[in-house]
Amino acid sequence: MDYPLTEARKEIKTNLKNVLIQLEYKFEPKLEIPSEELGDFSFPCFTLASLIRKSPKDIAEEIATRIKKGKWINKVKTIGGYVNFFIDKQILITSTLKSIYNKKEDYGNLKKINEKVIIEHTSANPNGPLHVGRARNPIIGDTLVRIFKAAGFDVESQFYLDDMGKQVAILTWGLGNLNSKDIPISKYNKSDHKSVGFYQIANKLMKDDEKISKEISNIIKKSENGELKTLKLAHKAYTPVLKGINKSLQRINITIDRYIPESDFVKNKSVEFVVEKLKKSKYCGNENGGLYLDLESFGIHGRNTKFFFTRSDGTTLYATRDIAYHIWKGKHADKLINVLGEDHKLESKQVEIALNLLDVKSIPKPIFYAFVSMAGGKMSTRHGRVVYLDDLIEECVKRAYEEVKTRKGLEFSEAKMKEISEIIGIGALRYNIIKVQPEKDIVFKWEDALNFEGNAAPFIQYAHARACGILSKMEKNKGIKDPDLFSLKHDSEFNLVKKLAEFPIIIDDASKGFKPHIIATFLFDIASRFNQFYRDCHVISEKNIELKKARLSLVNSTRIVLKNGLYLLGIMAPEEM
RNA sequence: GGGCCUGUAGCCUAGCCUGGAUAGGGCGAUAGCCUCCUAAGCUAUAGAUCGCGGGUUCGAAUCCCGCCAGGUCCGCCA
């Protein structure tokens, strides 16, 4: 069964199409959503007008007079060259609230489809804790995971684990050769923070000492050759780091289904297979033994169009293994999504071309995000200009705690304040990152990150808590059983319901367009309209019992949509705050 | 030098793919609203050459071309 607004749109479109056929206009109409007061759906006649050489205004009127009223179509009005459709408010109210009441936490979700999607995200080098520069990655990734699940897909999240690269090699060397006395003490009692010092010092030493540099190169070489002993050492080195990263992710409600080590593709020889096949490509060239694809004819320009996939000594490169990984992924899913920093754009393109040359069907859809920088320059571990994800989490929660304490210090217990500030702080953090489209640069400022008012998660959580407040006060009354929904007549009520009705469409748009941020905007809108309703339409003090019940039902529906929506963003919905 | 992304009020941002009706919001500012369901809220006011210049179109923030600024990449690194 369709959701109410989808059904309404269908009816209007069918009706409109029929009228166009009647008038013998061959034209595929496109419906728009106008601003509220103009109507619910709108058909602009301008394009059609230029085709048949008639004035848009005349066409609009011609069409409007022929549109029949239906279950949904209540009124048709023309303004200039527009045909504006008004849908029946009562039908929308009753069908939407019933739909929410029936589906509950399932409301908004689209029909299950038998399609598997693998979303690769985070995939950070396991040499230290996650920092804010890349913090968009897990948040965008996890939000996409949740959105695609809601859109009916079978979703698996994957972390591609670079266990044989330079970064892990440096860490491995550091842990094997440095004395923990010489490592600066971390302020966090977390395994990733404890390890990163070894990496940093080793990194520094390597630059001045050729011997060390050579030893590290050796580690890399050995792991590339698939030498198990070295890979085991590396595994031992990065595992605690990964554990720490995982812990941070868990705290912001992110779990990764599967970690895929890069070395797997060396061990199972699938990289060799990739090399063998690419060798046969007509774009393959050889430079002193190193093999490359010439990508000039694929629109790759710049100083160097050569995409090397082996070194002169025959060993493979990161990108080669990435190709093997993607071939493997493609066999296990119908759709692939990769969340990547914008620095991976070229590499991603190269892999895509290679996959095409290898006749691989499933080409990944990359979602690129711009880095988070700090006011005054780039983030850099060396210059101490780094803010870790853990720093950000701590600061957000701490600030949330202060807010909770000033507001509810007398009312809530210490434990409750702690619990709520965790929910609010984490929510604010995730929301702040997801509300902006990924490709936009973000300059990190504490004032912005810690602002809990306006377009921020606490605003939405607050609306949810308010709704819960009303419901809990009314619990003793019989409540929502068989409310007469026709008694909802106030504009604020209708405006809210109309927005609630859009939820499934928003999920559809967000998944089809890979746009997690529109969920955030939508929820802000709901919360905003709920606050207006809250102002205009009192529930508890309402004397008319039928109206009171109907409003209660609306409050409960709003609560459900807010909760479901926040869930998509990985944000908890507190019942009080 | 070349490729890709971004440029919307003091600050942040939606809309751009798929051109359409007065460019939506938020922060900050100013002025109001708690004997009434949580004021992390609500209402109002001020604030925009949609980076700049051309073009296409009945119509351009949106499409095309050129330029400017910022980010990012152009390793037999990962």
Side-chain angles (χ1 to χ4, degrees):
Chain A
M1 199 195 77
D2 277 330
Y3 282 104
L5 266 187
T6 323
E7 208 184 291
R9 178 189 271 273
K10 260 189 196 160
E11 182 186 297
I12 291 168
K13 199 143 188 189
T14 319
N15 210 317
L16 181 59
K17 271 187 188 166
N18 286 339
V19 170
L20 291 176
I21 290 167
Q22 262 180 51
L23 292 165
E24 294 182 355
Y25 298 151
K26 279 195 188 121
F27 190 72
E28 184 57 39
K30 211 186 91 191
L31 285 178
E32 289 182 1
I33 309 230
S35 65
E36 221 106 311
E37 64 282 5
L38 294 171
D40 298 306
F41 293 93
S42 166
F43 172 59
C45 304
F46 304 94
T47 317
L48 177 60
S50 67
L51 281 173
I52 60 172
R53 305 192 160 276
K54 252 184 166 176
S55 99
K57 205 177 161 209
D58 292 348
I59 296 174
E61 261 150 40
E62 198 174 31
I63 292 171
T65 52
R66 277 161 222 258
I67 297 280
K68 288 195 213 80
K69 279 198 181 181
K71 179 184 169 196
W72 289 98
I73 303 172
N74 180 46
K75 197 169 85 181
V76 184
K77 213 175 147 190
T78 67
I79 302 172
Y82 293 88
V83 184
N84 291 331
F85 298 85
F86 292 81
I87 59 177
D88 191 291
K89 290 189 179 186
Q90 290 305 327
I91 301 282
L92 184 67
I93 290 173
T94 50
S95 54
T96 301
L97 294 188
K98 271 186 189 150
S99 176
I100 298 172
Y101 185 78
N102 288 333
K103 299 197 150 118
K104 306 248 165 29
E105 64 277 1
D106 230 20
Y107 175 75
N109 291 355
L110 309 181
K111 242 191 15 237
K112 287 255 176 298
I113 47 176
N114 194 18
E115 245 185 79
K116 168 131 185 200
V117 44
I118 292 177
I119 301 182
E120 182 202 335
H121 68 82
T122 310
S123 301
N125 266 315
N127 61 340
L130 291 174
H131 65 81
V132 168
R134 303 222 177 236
R136 288 177 107 168
N137 199 322
I139 293 173
I140 293 167
D142 182 65
T143 308
L144 283 170
V145 167
R146 290 161 184 268
I147 290 169
F148 272 85
K149 278 184 185 162
F153 291 85
D154 176 19
V155 186
E156 179 177 286
S157 60
Q158 290 189 358
F159 184 117
Y160 184 48
L161 186 54
D162 184 4
D163 61 340
M164 47 190 302
K166 198 175 182 177
Q167 314 308 321
V168 166
I170 295 172
L171 178 71
T172 308
W173 185 91
L175 284 162
N177 296 278
L178 297 172
N179 194 321
S180 53
K181 279 200 312 246
D182 304 326
I183 307 299
I185 297 163
S186 155
K187 64 172 167 169
Y188 292 99
N189 186 24
K190 264 179 97 238
S191 51
D192 48 347
H193 289 271
K194 283 179 181 162
S195 298
V196 71
F198 289 88
Y199 166 81
Q200 282 166 328
I201 304 280
N203 195 39
K204 225 179 262 168
L205 292 174
M206 176 186 84
K207 295 226 157 93
D208 311 319
D209 191 330
E210 238 172 79
K211 199 182 135 238
I212 296 173
S213 177
K214 213 161 203 173
E215 286 176 23
I216 289 171
S217 297
N218 256 330
I219 297 176
I220 301 174
K221 198 138 279 168
K222 282 180 187 165
S223 24
E224 276 171 5
N225 287 328
E227 201 193 281
L228 291 178
K229 203 178 127 204
T230 312
L231 285 173
K232 257 190 192 151
L233 268 177
H235 182 265
K236 208 179 148 203
Y238 73 69
T239 301
V241 176
L242 208 56
K243 250 191 187 152
I245 290 177
N246 214 0
K247 213 170 164 192
S248 306
L249 292 179
Q250 257 172 24
R251 196 166 172 199
I252 57 174
N253 307 323
I254 296 174
T255 47
I256 284 157
D257 296 327
R258 219 165 154 188
Y259 291 83
I260 312 292
E262 191 181 338
S263 58
D264 278 8
F265 302 97
V266 174
K267 287 191 212 155
N268 70 16
K269 314 270 187 212
S270 58
V271 189
E272 282 175 33
F273 172 78
V274 169
V275 172
E276 286 313 309
K277 278 201 97 174
L278 285 179
K279 250 188 207 169
K280 292 183 188 129
S281 160
K282 61 174 176 173
Y283 300 98
C284 179
N286 186 324
E287 197 174 287
N288 306 322
L291 300 177
Y292 65 87
L293 296 173
D294 193 331
L295 301 185
E296 178 101 60
S297 48
F298 294 93
I300 302 287
H301 307 287
R303 290 196 189 101
N304 197 350
T305 59
K306 289 172 186 165
F307 166 43
F308 280 88
F309 59 94
T310 73
R311 297 196 183 85
S312 315
D313 63 5
T315 54
T316 58
L317 291 130
Y318 171 83
T320 326
R321 290 166 234 137
D322 204 14
I323 294 167
Y325 171 43
H326 277 92
I327 293 174
W328 175 82
K329 265 204 281 193
K331 285 181 190 153
H332 292 85
D334 305 290
K335 199 193 272 283
L336 302 177
I337 300 173
N338 294 340
V339 182
L340 300 166
E342 60 179 348
D343 55 337
H344 279 72
K345 273 185 184 173
L346 179 61
E347 197 254 350
S348 168
K349 187 86 195 153
Q350 290 166 334
V351 169
E352 185 189 319
I353 294 169
L355 288 172
N356 276 319
L357 287 175
L358 295 170
D359 271 329
V360 174
K361 296 282 174 302
S362 42
I363 301 300
K365 160 82 184 169
I367 309 293
F368 296 109
Y369 62 92
F371 297 119
V372 177
S373 59
M374 290 186 67
K378 237 193 116 171
M379 246 177 242
S380 146
T381 315
R382 255 172 297 153
H383 300 104
R385 294 183 50 81
V386 65
V387 176
Y388 290 118
L389 175 60
D390 292 320
D391 296 329
L392 188 53
I393 294 173
E394 283 300 327
E395 199 63 35
C396 284
V397 172
K398 193 180 131 208
R399 171 69 192 272
Y401 176 81
E402 283 162 16
E403 294 285 333
V404 175
K405 188 154 193 171
T406 49
R407 287 165 218 269
K408 299 279 173 170
L410 299 172
E411 203 178 314
F412 289 171
S413 71
E414 189 62 26
K416 191 168 202 168
M417 286 198 286
K418 280 257 153 48
E419 186 195 325
I420 290 173
S421 43
E422 181 81 10
I423 292 174
I424 293 172
I426 303 296
L429 166 56
R430 283 194 68 148
Y431 189 89
N432 261 309
I433 291 193
I434 209 66
K435 75 174 175 185
V436 182
Q437 20 168 305
E439 57 273 21
K440 216 134 175 159
D441 301 333
I442 292 183
V443 179
F444 183 82
K445 290 183 201 119
W446 282 109
E447 314 92 87
D448 294 347
L450 297 175
N451 193 342
F452 289 173
E453 275 157 34
N455 190 3
F459 177 90
I460 298 161
Q461 293 172 317
Y462 184 68
H464 178 267
R466 272 180 153 181
C468 289
I470 295 174
L471 291 167
S472 75
K473 284 202 172 73
M474 293 304 294
E475 230 158 41
K476 287 161 212 122
N477 300 24
K478 287 236 171 66
I480 318 171
K481 270 245 162 75
D482 304 318
D484 175 18
L485 298 172
F486 282 96
S487 47
L488 296 173
K489 295 214 166 13
H490 198 284
D491 276 353
S492 297
E493 292 162 340
F494 177 69
N495 288 339
L496 178 56
V497 173
K498 202 182 159 194
K499 210 69 196 168
L500 297 177
E502 281 175 24
F503 191 37
I505 297 173
I506 297 292
I507 291 179
D508 194 38
D509 288 351
S511 63
K512 288 213 171 83
F514 306 95
K515 290 188 219 167
H517 71 279
I518 65 175
I519 303 284
T521 314
F522 169 76
L523 287 178
F524 177 70
D525 237 334
I526 295 274
S528 191
R529 285 177 195 223
F530 178 73
N531 284 333
Q532 284 158 25
F533 160 80
Y534 188 91
R535 174 199 64 205
D536 293 334
C537 307
H538 276 232
V539 180
I540 291 172
S541 62
E542 178 55 50
K543 298 272 184 329
N544 180 336
I545 295 299
E546 281 311 316
L547 180 56
K548 186 172 180 173
K549 272 159 66 182
R551 282 185 177 161
L552 217 44
S553 164
L554 175 54
V555 170
N556 194 38
S557 299
T558 309
R559 194 208 95 228
I560 290 169
V561 173
L562 285 173
K563 189 168 182 187
N564 294 358
L566 284 171
Y567 178 80
L568 291 181
L569 301 181
I571 297 172
M572 311 257 281
E575 296 191 0
E576 43 187 349
M577 61 186 272

